[in-house]
Each structure stands twice: as structure tokens, then as C-alpha cells.
Amino acid sequence: MAAKLRKGDKVRVLAGKDAGRDGEITSVDPKAGKAVVEGINIAIRHTRQSQNSQGGRIPKAMPIDLSNLALLDANGKPTRVGFRFEDGKKVRFAKSTGEAV
């Protein structure tokens, strides 16, 4: 099945502690159905000091389920994603505006 959300998409969080916040997808794991969104679902990781890096409490963005994310259309509003064929190619489009995403 084609991916409705991809790396680089602007999304809004629909559920969870960060509900209502916007961010950009930095990576997607389609097999697990999760994505990492910049600045969303931050957890503190305690790391040991090494020769290369300083140790301490490091904030890290954790994966969030794709069902809790909605793509932002050109107007900045959350929308659902559909697929259609244009010139023999399958393209994503925003259901609210009908524009290709």
C-alpha cells in the first residue's frame, strides 16, 4: 500500500500529550506504522560520557503512531490523504482542497 505520510511532510498531532502541535516528519517506519516528528513526543535519554560526546540527559524525539498524525494542506489545516492517477502516475492529494500534495 502506498504511504500516506512521507519524510518531509508537515503534520499535526491528533492525539497524545502533544495533541494540536505541528511538526515535520524526519523519518518513517512503514512496517511498524510509526514516524518520528521533529519536536514532538520528546523523551529524556541518559547517556554515558564517551571520548566523542558529552554525557548527560539528552532530549530525543521518539516515534509516534501514524494514525495520530494528519497531513497539513496548503491552508495549514489538517486533512485526509487520497490517491488518484494523473498522467499515468499515482499521486497523493489533500481531500479537503483537492490539490496534489
Side-chain angles (χ1 to χ4, degrees):
M1 189 172 112
K4 295 191 179 207
L5 298 174
R6 299 179 184 163
K7 180 179 175 180
D9 285 346
K10 304 277 187 212
V11 293
R12 177 163 297 155
V13 180
L14 301 176
K17 66 179 183 181
D18 292 318
R21 294 183 58 199
D22 297 343
E24 184 175 330
I25 295 179
T26 56
S27 68
V28 178
D29 183 6
K31 194 169 188 178
K34 294 185 179 282
V36 175
V37 182
E38 181 181 329
I40 304 294
N41 200 22
I42 300 294
I44 302 295
R45 292 285 166 237
H46 296 75
T47 58
R48 183 173 292 208
Q49 183 175 356
S50 67
Q51 277 187 328
N52 302 335
S53 65
Q54 181 72 21
R57 297 167 40 124
I58 309 293
K60 181 180 180 187
M62 301 303 286
I64 188 169
D65 202 79
L66 290 175
S67 65
N68 295 331
L69 301 174
L71 183 71
L72 295 178
D73 62 7
N75 302 329
K77 295 187 176 182
T79 184
R80 293 185 295 159
V81 178
F83 294 96
R84 64 179 170 216
F85 287 93
E86 291 180 2
D87 300 327
K89 291 192 171 195
K90 191 175 188 180
V91 295
R92 298 182 308 159
F93 73 98
K95 291 216 174 184
S96 61
T97 60
E99 297 177 10
V101 181

